[in-house]
Amino acid sequence: GEVIDSLFEMQKRETTVRQLREELQKTINEFIEKNPQKGFIFFIDDLDRINPPVAVQILELLKNIFDLENCIFLLAIDYEVVVKGLEPKFGKKSMENEREFRSFFEKIIQLPFSMPINNYEVKEFIINKLDELQLMSDETIRSESDTIEEISLLTVGKNPRAIKRLMNSLSLLNCVSRKNT
């Protein structure tokens, strides 16, 4: 509450980025003095779902304003989507300008981690979901599992979110179908 109140007080007066950062750091330090061995973790998700140039602006703000002690920022982004926001700055990504794109992210993201979706067991996930939905018999699911996996890979790919969305659609269609019978 104190951090938010402090930020709103600062917004009432015109301040510079530096003043905002200093005031935020001061508030965080005061909190940590009262609560030893604690810090802040900020989770920032779905930057890849907004307009890519806006996502880049937010990343720049994070770099300039929120370089704070005792704070960790975890960013969950799809690099390939957000990198499109750099095109107005650097042009279309190419072999010649790839270094500028990479440098931009290296200055902001200190420890990148890619989710290992390629190691994801698509077939098992789909079979388990189909079992839960009870759309077909266990025997049919098992005997057709290779075909089901191939159709999934050709349509929605390996992305767990896309597969889950497909399964949710099947579940909805199943519910509608049962209501109409």
Side-chain angles (χ1 to χ4, degrees), residues 121-171:
E121 292 294 329
V122 174
K123 185 191 287 190
E124 281 304 310
F125 181 75
I126 293 171
I127 288 170
N128 290 337
K129 287 295 177 186
L130 288 173
D131 276 342
E132 286 175 24
L133 293 174
Q134 299 177 344
L135 294 175
M136 54 185 89
S137 71
D138 290 344
E139 184 181 305
T140 303
I141 292 171
R142 300 288 173 209
S143 67
E144 298 298 326
S145 64
D146 289 340
T147 304
I148 293 169
E149 178 187 26
E150 186 177 346
I151 290 169
S152 173
L153 291 172
L154 291 171
T155 55
V156 296
K158 289 185 172 186
N159 184 304
R161 187 178 288 161
I163 294 169
K164 183 140 173 94
R165 198 170 29 252
L166 172 65
M167 293 298 129
N168 288 341
S169 296
L170 288 174
S171 178

Side-chain angles (χ1 to χ4, degrees), residues 7 21 27 41 43 65 81 104-105 127 141 144 149 151 156 171 173 180:
L7 287 174
R21 192 172 68 68
T27 304
I41 298 177
F43 293 93
I65 296 175
V81 173
F104 175 84
F105 285 96
I127 288 170
I141 292 171
E144 298 298 326
E149 178 187 26
I151 290 169
V156 296
S171 178
L173 290 172
N180 290 332

